[in-house]
Coordinates of all heavy atoms in Angstrom, one line a residue:
Q1 N 7.6 -13.0 -8.8 CA 7.7 -13.3 -7.4 C 7.3 -12.2 -6.5 O 6.7 -12.4 -5.5 CB 9.2 -13.7 -7.2 CG 9.5 -15.1 -7.7 CD 11.0 -15.4 -7.4 OE1 11.8 -14.5 -7.3 NE2 11.2 -16.7 -7.2
W2 N 7.8 -11.0 -6.9 CA 7.5 -9.8 -6.1 C 6.0 -9.6 -6.0 O 5.5 -9.4 -4.9 CB 8.2 -8.6 -6.6 CG 7.8 -7.4 -5.7 CD1 8.5 -7.0 -4.6 CD2 6.7 -6.5 -5.9 NE1 7.9 -5.9 -4.0 CE2 6.8 -5.6 -4.8 CE3 5.7 -6.3 -6.7 CZ2 5.9 -4.5 -4.6 CZ3 4.8 -5.3 -6.6 CH2 4.9 -4.4 -5.5
H3 N 5.3 -9.8 -7.1 CA 3.9 -9.5 -7.1 C 3.1 -10.5 -6.2 O 2.2 -10.1 -5.4 CB 3.4 -9.6 -8.5 CG 2.1 -8.9 -8.8 ND1 1.5 -8.0 -7.9 CD2 1.2 -8.8 -9.8 CE1 0.4 -7.5 -8.3 NE2 0.2 -8.0 -9.6
E4 N 3.5 -11.8 -6.2 CA 2.9 -12.8 -5.4 C 3.2 -12.5 -3.9 O 2.3 -12.6 -3.1 CB 3.5 -14.1 -5.7 CG 3.0 -14.7 -7.0 CD 3.6 -16.0 -7.4 OE1 4.2 -16.7 -6.5 OE2 3.5 -16.4 -8.6
K5 N 4.4 -12.1 -3.6 CA 4.8 -11.8 -2.2 C 4.1 -10.6 -1.7 O 3.5 -10.6 -0.6 CB 6.3 -11.6 -2.1 CG 6.8 -11.5 -0.6 CD 8.2 -11.4 -0.6 CE 9.0 -12.7 -0.6 NZ 10.4 -12.6 -0.3
C6 N 3.9 -9.6 -2.6 CA 3.2 -8.4 -2.2 C 1.8 -8.7 -1.9 O 1.2 -8.2 -1.0 CB 3.3 -7.3 -3.3 SG 2.4 -5.8 -3.0
G7 N 1.2 -9.5 -2.8 CA -0.2 -9.9 -2.6 C -0.5 -10.6 -1.3 O -1.4 -10.4 -0.5
H8 N 0.5 -11.5 -1.0 CA 0.4 -12.3 0.3 C 0.5 -11.4 1.5 O -0.4 -11.4 2.4 CB 1.5 -13.3 0.3 CG 1.5 -14.1 1.6 ND1 0.6 -15.1 1.9 CD2 2.4 -14.1 2.6 CE1 0.9 -15.6 3.1 NE2 2.0 -15.0 3.5
Y9 N 1.5 -10.5 1.5 CA 1.7 -9.7 2.7 C 0.7 -8.5 2.8 O 0.3 -8.2 3.9 CB 3.1 -9.1 2.7 CG 4.1 -10.1 3.1 CD1 5.1 -10.6 2.2 CD2 4.1 -10.6 4.4 CE1 6.0 -11.6 2.6 CE2 5.1 -11.6 4.8 CZ 6.0 -12.1 3.9 OH 6.9 -13.0 4.3
T10 N 0.2 -8.0 1.7 CA -0.9 -7.0 1.8 C -2.2 -7.6 2.4 O -2.9 -7.0 3.1 CB -1.1 -6.3 0.5 OG1 -1.4 -7.2 -0.5 CG2 0.1 -5.4 0.1
T11 N -2.4 -8.9 2.0 CA -3.6 -9.6 2.5 C -3.5 -9.8 4.0 O -4.4 -9.6 4.8 CB -3.8 -10.9 1.8 OG1 -4.0 -10.6 0.4 CG2 -5.0 -11.7 2.3
L12 N -2.3 -10.3 4.4 CA -2.1 -10.4 5.9 C -2.2 -9.1 6.6 O -2.8 -9.1 7.7 CB -0.7 -11.0 6.1 CG -0.5 -12.5 5.7 CD1 1.0 -12.9 5.9 CD2 -1.4 -13.4 6.5
G13 N -1.6 -8.1 6.1 CA -1.7 -6.8 6.8 C -3.1 -6.3 6.8 O -3.6 -5.7 7.8
A14 N -3.9 -6.5 5.8 CA -5.3 -6.0 5.7 C -6.1 -6.8 6.7 O -6.9 -6.2 7.4 CB -5.8 -6.1 4.3
R15 N -5.9 -8.0 6.7 CA -6.7 -8.8 7.7 C -6.4 -8.5 9.1 O -7.3 -8.4 10.0 CB -6.4 -10.3 7.5 CG -7.0 -10.9 6.3 CD -6.7 -12.4 6.2 NE -7.3 -12.9 4.9 CZ -6.8 -14.1 4.3 NH1 -5.9 -14.7 4.9 NH2 -7.4 -14.5 3.2
G16 N -5.2 -8.2 9.4 CA -4.8 -7.8 10.8 C -5.4 -6.4 11.1 O -5.8 -6.2 12.2
A17 N -5.4 -5.5 10.2 CA -5.9 -4.2 10.4 C -7.4 -4.3 10.6 O -8.0 -3.6 11.5 CB -5.6 -3.3 9.2
V18 N -8.1 -5.1 9.8 CA -9.6 -5.2 10.0 C -9.9 -5.9 11.3 O -10.9 -5.5 12.0 CB -10.2 -6.0 8.8 CG1 -11.6 -6.4 9.0 CG2 -10.1 -5.1 7.5
N19 N -9.1 -6.9 11.7 CA -9.3 -7.5 13.0 C -9.2 -6.6 14.2 O -9.8 -6.8 15.2 CB -8.4 -8.8 13.2 CG -8.8 -9.9 12.3 OD1 -9.9 -10.0 11.8 ND2 -7.8 -10.8 12.0
K20 N -8.4 -5.6 14.0 CA -8.2 -4.5 15.0 C -9.2 -3.4 14.9 O -9.1 -2.5 15.7 CB -6.7 -3.9 14.9 CG -5.6 -4.9 15.3 CD -4.3 -4.2 15.1 CE -3.2 -5.2 15.4 NZ -1.9 -4.6 15.2
G21 N -10.1 -3.5 14.0 CA -11.2 -2.6 13.8 C -10.8 -1.4 12.9 O -11.5 -0.4 12.9
R22 N -9.7 -1.4 12.2 CA -9.4 -0.3 11.4 C -10.0 -0.4 10.0 O -10.3 -1.5 9.5 CB -7.8 -0.3 11.2 CG -7.1 -0.1 12.4 CD -5.6 0.0 12.2 NE -4.9 0.1 13.4 CZ -3.7 -0.4 13.7 NH1 -3.1 -1.1 12.7 NH2 -3.1 -0.3 14.8
T23 N -10.4 0.8 9.5 CA -11.0 0.8 8.2 C -10.3 1.9 7.4 O -9.5 2.7 8.0 CB -12.5 1.2 8.2 OG1 -12.6 2.5 8.9 CG2 -13.3 0.2 9.0
R24 N -10.5 2.0 6.1 CA -10.0 3.0 5.2 C -11.1 3.6 4.4 O -11.9 2.9 3.9 CB -8.9 2.5 4.3 CG -7.6 2.0 5.0 CD -6.9 3.2 5.6 NE -5.7 2.9 6.3 CZ -5.5 3.0 7.6 NH1 -6.4 3.4 8.4 NH2 -4.3 2.6 8.1
S25 N -11.1 4.9 4.4 CA -12.2 5.6 3.6 C -11.8 5.5 2.1 O -10.7 5.2 1.7 CB -12.3 7.1 4.0 OG -11.1 7.8 3.6
V26 N -12.8 5.9 1.2 CA -12.5 5.9 -0.2 C -11.4 6.9 -0.5 O -10.5 6.7 -1.3 CB -13.8 6.2 -1.0 CG1 -13.5 6.4 -2.4 CG2 -14.8 5.1 -0.8
L27 N -11.5 8.1 0.2 CA -10.4 9.1 0.0 C -9.1 8.6 0.4 O -8.1 8.8 -0.4 CB -10.8 10.3 0.9 CG -9.8 11.5 0.7 CD1 -9.8 12.0 -0.7 CD2 -10.2 12.6 1.8
A28 N -8.9 7.8 1.4 CA -7.6 7.2 1.8 C -7.1 6.3 0.8 O -5.9 6.3 0.5 CB -7.7 6.5 3.2
V29 N -8.0 5.5 0.2 CA -7.6 4.5 -0.8 C -7.1 5.3 -2.1 O -6.1 4.9 -2.6 CB -8.8 3.6 -1.2 CG1 -8.4 2.7 -2.4 CG2 -9.1 2.7 0.0
V30 N -7.9 6.3 -2.5 CA -7.5 7.0 -3.7 C -6.2 7.8 -3.6 O -5.5 7.9 -4.5 CB -8.7 8.0 -4.1 CG1 -8.3 8.9 -5.2 CG2 -9.9 7.2 -4.5
T31 N -6.0 8.4 -2.4 CA -4.8 9.2 -2.2 C -3.6 8.4 -1.7 O -2.5 9.0 -1.7 CB -5.1 10.4 -1.2 OG1 -5.5 9.8 0.0 CG2 -6.2 11.3 -1.7
A32 N -3.7 7.2 -1.4 CA -2.6 6.4 -0.8 C -1.4 6.3 -1.8 O -0.3 6.5 -1.5 CB -3.1 5.0 -0.4
L33 N -1.7 6.0 -3.1 CA -0.7 5.8 -4.0 C 0.1 7.0 -4.3 O 1.4 7.0 -4.1 CB -1.3 5.2 -5.4 CG -0.3 4.8 -6.4 CD1 0.5 3.5 -5.9 CD2 -1.0 4.5 -7.7
P34 N -0.5 8.2 -4.6 CA 0.4 9.3 -4.9 C 1.0 9.9 -3.6 O 2.2 10.3 -3.7 CB -0.6 10.4 -5.5 CG -1.9 9.9 -5.2 CD -1.8 8.4 -5.0
L35 N 0.4 9.8 -2.5 CA 1.0 10.3 -1.3 C 2.2 9.5 -0.8 O 3.2 10.1 -0.4 CB 0.0 10.5 -0.2 CG -1.1 11.6 -0.4 CD1 -2.1 11.6 0.8 CD2 -0.4 12.9 -0.5
Y36 N 2.0 8.2 -0.9 CA 3.2 7.4 -0.5 C 4.3 7.5 -1.5 O 5.5 7.4 -1.1 CB 2.8 5.9 -0.3 CG 2.2 5.6 1.1 CD1 0.8 5.5 1.3 CD2 3.1 5.5 2.2 CE1 0.4 5.3 2.6 CE2 2.6 5.3 3.5 CZ 1.3 5.2 3.6 OH 0.8 4.9 4.9
F37 N 4.0 7.6 -2.8 CA 5.1 7.8 -3.8 C 5.8 9.1 -3.5 O 7.1 9.1 -3.5 CB 4.5 7.8 -5.2 CG 5.6 8.0 -6.2 CD1 6.3 6.9 -6.6 CD2 5.9 9.3 -6.7 CE1 7.3 7.1 -7.5 CE2 6.9 9.4 -7.6 CZ 7.6 8.3 -8.0
I38 N 5.1 10.2 -3.2 CA 5.8 11.4 -2.9 C 6.7 11.3 -1.6 O 7.8 11.7 -1.6 CB 4.8 12.5 -2.7 CG1 4.2 12.9 -4.0 CG2 5.4 13.8 -2.0 CD1 2.9 13.8 -3.9
R39 N 6.1 10.6 -0.6 CA 6.9 10.3 0.6 C 8.2 9.6 0.3 O 9.3 10.0 0.7 CB 6.0 9.6 1.6 CG 6.7 9.2 2.9 CD 5.8 8.4 3.8 NE 6.5 7.9 4.9 CZ 6.0 7.0 5.7 NH1 4.8 6.6 5.6 NH2 6.7 6.6 6.7
Y40 N 8.0 8.4 -0.4 CA 9.2 7.6 -0.6 C 10.2 8.2 -1.6 O 11.4 8.2 -1.4 CB 8.8 6.2 -1.1 CG 8.2 5.4 -0.1 CD1 6.9 4.8 -0.3 CD2 8.8 5.1 1.1 CE1 6.3 4.0 0.7 CE2 8.3 4.3 2.1 CZ 7.0 3.8 1.9 OH 6.5 3.0 2.9
Y41 N 9.7 8.8 -2.7 CA 10.6 9.3 -3.7 C 11.2 10.6 -3.4 O 12.4 10.8 -3.6 CB 9.8 9.5 -5.0 CG 10.7 9.6 -6.2 CD1 11.5 8.7 -6.7 CD2 10.6 10.8 -7.0 CE1 12.3 8.8 -7.8 CE2 11.4 11.0 -8.1 CZ 12.3 10.0 -8.5 OH 13.1 10.1 -9.6
F42 N 10.4 11.6 -2.8 CA 11.0 12.9 -2.5 C 11.5 13.0 -1.1 O 12.6 13.4 -0.9 CB 10.0 14.0 -2.9 CG 9.7 14.0 -4.4 CD1 8.5 13.6 -4.9 CD2 10.7 14.5 -5.3 CE1 8.3 13.7 -6.3 CE2 10.4 14.5 -6.6 CZ 9.2 14.1 -7.2
L43 N 10.6 12.8 -0.2 CA 11.0 13.0 1.2 C 12.0 12.0 1.8 O 12.9 12.4 2.6 CB 9.7 12.9 2.1 CG 8.6 13.9 1.8 CD1 7.4 13.7 2.7 CD2 9.1 15.3 1.9
N44 N 12.1 10.8 1.2 CA 13.1 9.9 1.6 C 14.3 9.9 0.7 O 15.2 9.0 0.7 CB 12.5 8.4 1.7 CG 11.6 8.2 2.8 OD1 11.4 9.1 3.7 ND2 10.9 7.1 2.9
L45 N 14.3 10.9 -0.2 CA 15.4 11.1 -1.1 C 15.7 10.0 -2.1 O 16.9 9.9 -2.5 CB 16.6 11.6 -0.4 CG 16.5 12.8 0.6 CD1 17.8 13.0 1.4 CD2 16.0 14.0 -0.1
N46 N 14.8 9.2 -2.5 CA 15.0 8.1 -3.4 C 15.3 8.6 -4.8 O 15.8 7.8 -5.6 CB 13.9 7.1 -3.4 CG 14.1 6.1 -2.3 OD1 15.2 5.5 -2.2 ND2 13.1 5.8 -1.5
F47 N 14.9 9.8 -5.1 CA 15.3 10.4 -6.5 C 16.8 10.4 -6.7 O 17.2 10.4 -7.8 CB 14.7 11.8 -6.7 CG 15.2 12.8 -5.7 CD1 16.2 13.6 -6.1 CD2 14.5 13.1 -4.5 CE1 16.7 14.6 -5.2 CE2 14.9 14.1 -3.7 CZ 16.1 14.8 -4.0
L48 N 17.5 10.4 -5.5 CA 19.0 10.4 -5.6 C 19.5 9.1 -6.1 O 20.7 8.9 -6.5 CB 19.6 10.8 -4.3 CG 19.3 12.2 -3.8 CD1 19.9 12.4 -2.4 CD2 19.9 13.2 -4.7
N49 N 18.7 8.0 -6.0 CA 19.1 6.7 -6.4 C 18.8 6.4 -7.9 O 18.9 5.2 -8.3 CB 18.4 5.7 -5.5 CG 18.9 5.8 -4.1 OD1 20.1 6.1 -3.8 ND2 18.0 5.5 -3.1
G50 N 18.4 7.3 -8.6 CA 18.1 7.2 -10.0 C 16.9 6.3 -10.3 O 15.9 6.4 -9.6
L51 N 17.0 5.5 -11.3 CA 15.8 4.7 -11.7 C 15.5 3.7 -10.7 O 14.3 3.4 -10.5 CB 16.2 4.0 -13.1 CG 15.0 3.5 -13.9 CD1 13.9 4.5 -14.1 CD2 15.5 2.9 -15.2
Q52 N 16.5 3.1 -10.0 CA 16.2 2.1 -9.0 C 15.4 2.8 -7.8 O 14.5 2.1 -7.3 CB 17.5 1.5 -8.4 CG 18.2 0.6 -9.3 CD 19.1 1.3 -10.3 OE1 19.3 2.5 -10.2 NE2 19.5 0.6 -11.3
G53 N 15.7 4.0 -7.5 CA 14.9 4.7 -6.5 C 13.5 5.0 -6.9 O 12.5 4.9 -6.1
F54 N 13.3 5.3 -8.2 CA 11.9 5.4 -8.7 C 11.2 4.1 -8.7 O 10.0 4.1 -8.2 CB 12.0 5.9 -10.2 CG 10.7 6.0 -10.9 CD1 9.9 7.1 -10.6 CD2 10.2 5.0 -11.6 CE1 8.6 7.2 -11.2 CE2 8.9 5.1 -12.2 CZ 8.1 6.2 -12.0
Y55 N 11.8 3.0 -9.1 CA 11.1 1.7 -9.0 C 10.8 1.4 -7.6 O 9.7 0.9 -7.3 CB 12.0 0.6 -9.6 CG 12.3 0.7 -11.1 CD1 13.4 0.2 -11.6 CD2 11.3 1.2 -11.9 CE1 13.7 0.2 -13.0 CE2 11.6 1.3 -13.3 CZ 12.7 0.8 -13.8 OH 12.9 0.8 -15.2
W56 N 11.7 1.5 -6.7 CA 11.5 1.1 -5.3 C 10.3 2.0 -4.7 O 9.4 1.4 -4.0 CB 12.7 1.4 -4.4 CG 12.6 0.8 -3.1 CD1 12.9 -0.5 -2.7 CD2 12.0 1.5 -1.9 NE1 12.6 -0.6 -1.3 CE2 12.1 0.5 -0.9 CE3 11.6 2.7 -1.7 CZ2 11.6 0.9 0.4 CZ3 11.1 3.0 -0.4 CH2 11.1 2.1 0.6
S57 N 10.3 3.3 -5.0 CA 9.2 4.1 -4.5 C 7.9 3.7 -5.1 O 6.9 3.7 -4.4 CB 9.5 5.6 -4.9 OG 10.7 6.0 -4.3
A58 N 7.9 3.4 -6.4 CA 6.6 3.0 -7.1 C 6.1 1.7 -6.5 O 4.9 1.6 -6.2 CB 6.8 2.9 -8.5
F59 N 7.0 0.7 -6.3 CA 6.5 -0.6 -5.8 C 6.1 -0.5 -4.4 O 5.1 -1.1 -3.9 CB 7.6 -1.7 -5.9 CG 7.8 -2.2 -7.3 CD1 9.1 -2.3 -7.8 CD2 6.8 -2.5 -8.1 CE1 9.3 -2.8 -9.1 CE2 6.9 -3.0 -9.4 CZ 8.2 -3.1 -9.9
S60 N 6.8 0.3 -3.5 CA 6.4 0.5 -2.2 C 5.1 1.2 -2.0 O 4.2 0.8 -1.2 CB 7.5 1.3 -1.4 OG 8.7 0.5 -1.4
S61 N 4.9 2.2 -2.8 CA 3.6 2.9 -2.7 C 2.5 2.1 -3.2 O 1.3 2.1 -2.7 CB 3.7 4.3 -3.5 OG 4.0 4.1 -4.8
Y62 N 2.7 1.3 -4.2 CA 1.7 0.3 -4.7 C 1.3 -0.7 -3.7 O 0.1 -1.0 -3.5 CB 2.2 -0.4 -6.0 CG 1.3 -1.5 -6.5 CD1 0.2 -1.2 -7.2 CD2 1.6 -2.9 -6.3 CE1 -0.7 -2.2 -7.7 CE2 0.8 -3.8 -6.8 CZ -0.4 -3.5 -7.4 OH -1.2 -4.5 -7.9
S63 N 2.3 -1.2 -2.9 CA 1.9 -2.1 -1.9 C 1.0 -1.5 -0.8 O 0.1 -2.1 -0.3 CB 3.1 -2.8 -1.2 OG 3.9 -1.8 -0.5
H64 N 1.3 -0.2 -0.4 CA 0.4 0.4 0.6 C -1.0 0.6 -0.1 O -2.0 0.4 0.6 CB 0.9 1.8 0.9 CG 2.0 1.8 1.9 ND1 1.8 1.6 3.2 CD2 3.4 2.0 1.7 CE1 3.0 1.6 3.9 NE2 3.9 1.8 3.0
F65 N -1.1 1.0 -1.3 CA -2.4 1.1 -2.0 C -3.1 -0.2 -2.0 O -4.3 -0.2 -1.7 CB -2.1 1.6 -3.5 CG -3.3 1.6 -4.3 CD1 -4.4 2.5 -4.1 CD2 -3.5 0.6 -5.3 CE1 -5.5 2.5 -4.9 CE2 -4.6 0.6 -6.1 CZ -5.6 1.5 -5.9
M66 N -2.5 -1.3 -2.3 CA -3.2 -2.6 -2.4 C -3.7 -3.0 -1.0 O -4.8 -3.5 -0.8 CB -2.2 -3.7 -2.9 CG -2.0 -3.5 -4.4 SD -3.6 -3.5 -5.4 CE -4.3 -5.0 -4.9
K67 N -2.9 -2.7 0.1 CA -3.3 -3.0 1.4 C -4.5 -2.2 1.8 O -5.5 -2.7 2.4 CB -2.2 -2.8 2.4 CG -2.6 -3.2 3.8 CD -1.4 -3.1 4.8 CE -1.4 -1.8 5.5 NZ -0.3 -1.7 6.5
Y68 N -4.6 -0.9 1.4 CA -5.7 0.0 1.7 C -7.0 -0.6 1.0 O -8.1 -0.5 1.5 CB -5.4 1.4 1.3 CG -4.6 2.2 2.3 CD1 -3.8 1.5 3.2 CD2 -4.6 3.5 2.3 CE1 -3.0 2.2 4.2 CE2 -3.8 4.3 3.2 CZ -3.0 3.6 4.2 OH -2.3 4.3 5.0
V69 N -6.8 -1.0 -0.3 CA -7.9 -1.5 -1.1 C -8.5 -2.8 -0.4 O -9.7 -2.9 -0.2 CB -7.5 -1.8 -2.5 CG1 -8.5 -2.7 -3.2 CG2 -7.2 -0.5 -3.3
K70 N -7.6 -3.6 0.1 CA -8.0 -4.8 0.7 C -8.7 -4.6 2.1 O -9.6 -5.2 2.4 CB -6.8 -5.8 0.9 CG -6.4 -6.4 -0.5 CD -5.2 -7.3 -0.3 CE -4.7 -7.7 -1.7 NZ -3.6 -8.7 -1.6
I71 N -8.1 -3.6 2.8 CA -8.8 -3.2 4.0 C -10.2 -2.7 3.8 O -11.2 -3.1 4.5 CB -8.0 -2.1 4.8 CG1 -6.7 -2.7 5.3 CG2 -8.8 -1.5 5.9 CD1 -5.7 -1.7 5.9
R72 N -10.3 -1.9 2.8 CA -11.6 -1.4 2.4 C -12.6 -2.5 2.0 O -13.8 -2.5 2.4 CB -11.5 -0.4 1.3 CG -12.8 0.2 0.8 CD -13.1 1.5 1.5 NE -14.3 2.0 1.0 CZ -15.2 2.6 1.7 NH1 -15.0 2.8 2.9 NH2 -16.4 3.0 1.2
E73 N -12.1 -3.4 1.2 CA -13.0 -4.5 0.8 C -13.4 -5.4 1.9 O -14.5 -5.8 2.0 CB -12.3 -5.4 -0.3 CG -12.1 -4.7 -1.6 CD -11.4 -5.5 -2.6 OE1 -10.8 -6.5 -2.3 OE2 -11.4 -5.1 -3.8
L74 N -12.4 -5.7 2.8 CA -12.7 -6.6 3.9 C -13.7 -5.9 4.9 O -14.5 -6.6 5.5 CB -11.5 -7.1 4.6 CG -10.6 -8.0 3.9 CD1 -9.2 -8.2 4.6 CD2 -11.2 -9.4 3.7
S75 N -13.5 -4.7 5.2 CA -14.3 -4.0 6.2 C -15.7 -3.6 5.7 O -16.6 -3.4 6.5 CB -13.6 -2.7 6.6 OG -13.4 -1.8 5.6
T76 N -15.9 -3.7 4.4 CA -17.3 -3.4 3.9 C -18.0 -4.6 3.4 O -19.1 -4.5 3.0 CB -17.2 -2.3 2.7 OG1 -16.4 -2.8 1.6 CG2 -16.7 -1.0 3.2
S77 N -17.3 -5.7 3.4 CA -18.0 -7.0 2.9 C -18.9 -7.5 4.0 O -18.6 -7.4 5.2 CB -17.0 -8.0 2.5 OG -16.3 -8.5 3.6
P78 N -20.1 -8.0 3.7 CA -21.1 -8.4 4.6 C -20.6 -9.6 5.5 O -20.9 -9.6 6.7 CB -22.2 -8.9 3.8 CG -22.1 -8.3 2.5 CD -20.6 -8.1 2.3
S79 N -19.6 -10.4 5.0 CA -19.2 -11.6 5.8 C -18.3 -11.2 6.9 O -18.1 -11.9 7.9 CB -18.5 -12.6 4.9 OG -17.4 -12.0 4.3
T80 N -17.6 -10.0 6.9 CA -16.7 -9.6 7.9 C -17.2 -8.5 8.8 O -16.5 -8.0 9.7 CB -15.3 -9.1 7.2 OG1 -15.7 -8.0 6.4 CG2 -14.7 -10.2 6.5
R81 N -18.5 -8.1 8.6 CA -19.0 -7.0 9.5 C -19.3 -7.6 10.9 O -19.7 -8.8 11.0 CB -20.3 -6.5 8.9 CG -20.0 -5.6 7.8 CD -21.3 -4.9 7.3 NE -21.0 -4.1 6.1 CZ -22.0 -3.6 5.3 NH1 -23.2 -3.8 5.6 NH2 -21.6 -3.0 4.3
R82 N -19.1 -6.8 11.9 CA -19.3 -7.2 13.3 C -20.8 -7.0 13.7 O -21.4 -6.1 13.4 CB -18.3 -6.5 14.2 CG -16.9 -7.0 13.8 CD -16.0 -6.2 14.7 NE -14.6 -6.6 14.2 CZ -13.6 -6.6 14.9 NH1 -13.7 -6.3 16.2 NH2 -12.4 -6.9 14.5

């Protein structure tokens, strides 16, 4: 269920970002997963929540990564170019 919901909301977020003219570079896509994981796990102190904090940080960073991938795909596909 989470995977389906994540896919749905990342697609909506990516479409909204592309409609606003936002794009993501290859570097942003590649670094999104580790940077967001560090942000959520260490900076937001989720390591204090044990394994649940690790899971939450991993899933949250994965959703950002997927949104960035979708933004990149939508903004570089010929059918969505302006």
